[in-house]
Amino acid sequence: MKGPEILEEHSDHLKSYMGACFPGERAVFRGHDLHADLKDMDWIELYVFGITGRRFTTQQQRLLHAIWVYTSYPDARIWNNRVAGLAGSTRSTGSLGIAAALAVSEASIYGGGIYMPSIKFLKRTRKALDKGAELSDCVQDELKTRRGIAGYGRPLTSRDERISPIMALAATLGLDDGPHVRLAFAVDELLLAGRWRLRMNYGAVAAALCADLGLSTREYYLFMFPAFLAGMPPCFIESAQRPEGTLFPLSCAHILYEGVSKREWQRQ
Amino acid sequence: MSNDSKSEQIRTRIWLEEPEPDNPFATRAAYCHGYDVYGAMLGQARWVEMLYLLFRGEVPTSAQAELLEAVAVVLANPGPRDPSVHAAMCGGVGGSTAAACLIAALAVGAGQLSGGREVFLVMEAWNSCGTDLDAWQRRLATPPDDTVSIWPMPEHLPGFDPHGVSTTTPVQQTLSHLACVSVESRLIWLEMNRASLEAVAGRPLAMSCVAATAFCDLGFTPEQGEMFYLLLRLPGAAAHALEQRQYGHKKFPFFKVELENDPAMEDR
């Protein structure tokens, strides 16, 4: 079916297997009664169930929780958090500030822009290795075609303080030795030996752990969306409690003008 | 040109501000690419001239200003059927904040179907193909790989209406008018070669393609064109959001749902 026919087919109704609410009666979530079948679900369990339609073990859920917890930094200097903080400072609403901060988290050098390419690289490379490819060739190809490897390298510093604790937890849960995790560390060793100055960051580790839990590329991307969320409300609250306009106020001297000299206005 | 006594500074080639003598945080004069905004431009410059100056660093010619103004009129209101305006109305009808309505319009209007990303992709195609019909035909036949992008894989050729049957009257009217106004070549070439491109694409030209082509003729980069497109479509979203707020939710469609896996039905 093509053209307007397909639009006509979908007009005026929602056909869904994801769910619906029946106001005053009940709500259905992926084929289950939310207030009966799923009423005891932990929130993150429900969130991941909503994304994948699958259930995860207690150990797996602990790891998923920790992946978010270990990257929740209430530091209003960080660019995405700063948006939440600035919203507090300008007396905007918390929802607007935090929603915008989450949207800003989908950046190309950190956060959302890393999730997809990172897990795609690991899945693609693992498949290639299974077919007999050499890891060094895969890495070289990636560096050549993408000019970098998502999940390796970090904007402000090369060391990533989140890797050690998440791997320690994964080890206690018996989830630290999956094929994607082993691959992620092997790539790190290769890059280190080759002196590429691209140390593995949390993005690669989180992607590897989630790939080993069976998350698809899109599932991982959506799972990671609120990863920074817990650090944002504190940034909003603190700046909202201070005198208005006092988060990083910029005087005229804070602006370094590098443009053309003053000139008379005239139309071309 | 600027007092750089602060260790933390924002660098800019766009904007110079000079402080009032009694307050370094208050502006005495502001210069946009060298022009005194409040002292010289105010009362003299048109809105579109200011926009063009901000992005391009120079005052537009009268032909460029006329073209940009025409584009702004065309894009000002995509209309209440458009998904971005629909999203803004969802904010309005529920009494969401003004910013939330615009954020909704921006988010939904950012994508690859009639959105900012589609304009970006069309402008990249222009940069790659220019006014070479063979190059366009090759590109339409084999779109570039974008597998590591955060954006979903394109499901239709950017710039063409996947649900269209024939070129709509407004698209034809807009292309015809803009081609007359523009002093550059792309809009004129597009009007001359529209039928050939549509034959290759198998779909009619969309307004996003006309807008993207106009932005190319104005000398914008794909990034600038994407931003302009997002900005210029907001007025209609805002107006419709406010209107639906007045109408109220009882007069706004809620649609019916057909649940494909309703547990209540399975129990019966």
Side-chain angles (χ1 to χ4, degrees), chain A residues 149-168:
Chain A
I149 300 181
Y152 295 84
R154 206 177 177 199
L156 298 174
T157 177
S158 61
R159 188 177 166 276
D160 197 318
E161 66 286 350
R162 298 165 290 186
I163 294 176
S164 177
I166 196 69
M167 288 311 300

Side-chain angles (χ1 to χ4, degrees), chain B residues 72-216:
Chain B
V73 170
V74 166
L75 297 181
N77 187 17
R81 295 190 308 109
D82 183 90
S84 70
V85 180
H86 191 164
M89 293 189 301
C90 287
V93 78
S96 304
T97 58
C101 296
L102 294 186
I103 288 170
L106 284 172
V108 174
Q112 293 171 165
L113 180 61
S114 309
R117 181 68 181 174
E118 181 162 42
V119 166
F120 178 91
L121 294 174
V122 175
M123 292 181 73
E124 277 199 328
W126 271 113
N127 287 348
S128 171
C129 303
T131 52
D132 179 345
L133 186 58
D134 289 340
W136 275 96
Q137 287 171 334
R138 284 194 300 275
R139 190 174 179 102
L140 294 177
T142 53
D145 172 41
D146 196 23
T147 52
V148 296
S149 166
I150 55 167
W151 300 96
M153 287 294 287
E155 294 178 26
H156 71 275
L157 289 169
F160 296 88
D161 180 357
H163 303 306
V165 176
S166 59
T167 320
T168 65
T169 305
V171 168
Q172 292 189 52
Q173 290 169 320
T174 301
L175 180 55
S176 175
H177 178 73
L178 298 186
C180 287
V181 172
S182 181
V183 294
E184 298 295 330
S185 60
R186 293 180 183 86
L187 282 162
I188 297 164
W189 184 89
L190 181 63
E191 189 179 30
M192 287 172 58
N193 292 279
R194 175 174 64 79
S196 303
L197 292 171
E198 289 177 333
V200 177
R203 287 288 160 213
L205 202 70
M207 192 64 88
S208 57
C209 186
V210 182
T213 308
F215 292 141
C216 286

Side-chain angles (χ1 to χ4, degrees), chain A residues 2 4 13-17 26 31 120 250 252-258 260 262-264 267-268, chain B residues 2-3 8-12 18 24 33-35 44 49 57-59 147 203 256 258 260-262:
Chain A
K2 279 181 166 184
H13 70 287
L14 169 68
K15 195 176 275 191
S16 175
Y17 63 89
R26 64 199 170 94
K120 278 184 178 175
L250 298 170
C252 291
H254 283 90
I255 306 301
L256 179 60
Y257 180 63
E258 298 179 321
V260 299
K262 293 177 186 175
R263 46 185 171 169
E264 290 297 314
R267 285 218 172 89
Q268 296 289 307
Chain B
S2 177
N3 176 2
E8 300 271 12
Q9 289 187 306
I10 292 175
R11 293 168 180 268
T12 176
E18 293 173 342
H33 289 289
Y35 297 113
Q44 300 295 320
E49 288 175 323
E58 295 296 337
V59 180
T147 52
R203 287 288 160 213
K256 63 184 176 188
E258 292 173 28
E260 295 171 321
N261 52 355
D262 188 345

Side-chain angles (χ1 to χ4, degrees), chain A residues 231-253:
Chain A
M232 292 169 178
C235 298
F236 175 84
I237 290 166
E238 190 168 59
S239 58
Q241 287 172 337
R242 290 209 185 97
E244 58 186 348
T246 57
L247 181 69
F248 304 128
L250 298 170
S251 69
C252 291

Side-chain angles (χ1 to χ4, degrees), chain B residues 31-44:
Chain B
Y31 297 83
C32 184
H33 289 289
Y35 297 113
D36 185 340
V37 177
Y38 304 102
M41 291 181 69
L42 185 61
Q44 300 295 320

Side-chain angles (χ1 to χ4, degrees), chain A residues 32 53 70-71 73 78 104 107 111 114 129 174 197 205 223 227 238 252:
Chain A
H32 299 271
Y70 293 0
T71 194
Y73 294 179
I78 301 171
V104 165
I114 306 298
L129 295 178
R197 290 187 179 180
V205 176
F223 164 71
E238 190 168 59
C252 291

Side-chain angles (χ1 to χ4, degrees), chain A residues 57-115:
Chain A
T57 67
T58 306
Q59 286 84 359
Q60 290 171 329
Q61 288 174 47
R62 273 195 67 196
L63 183 64
L64 291 170
H65 266 112
I67 287 172
W68 284 1
V69 169
Y70 293 0
T71 194
S72 299
Y73 294 179
D75 182 339
R77 295 173 306 162
I78 301 171
W79 308 307
N80 51 355
N81 287 349
R82 200 185 300 181
V83 174
L86 287 168
S89 183
T90 57
R91 305 300 189 252
S92 185
T93 75
S95 291
L96 286 172
I98 293 165
L102 278 175
V104 165
S105 303
E106 191 162 67
S108 59
I109 62 170
Y110 72 97
I114 306 298
Y115 304 148

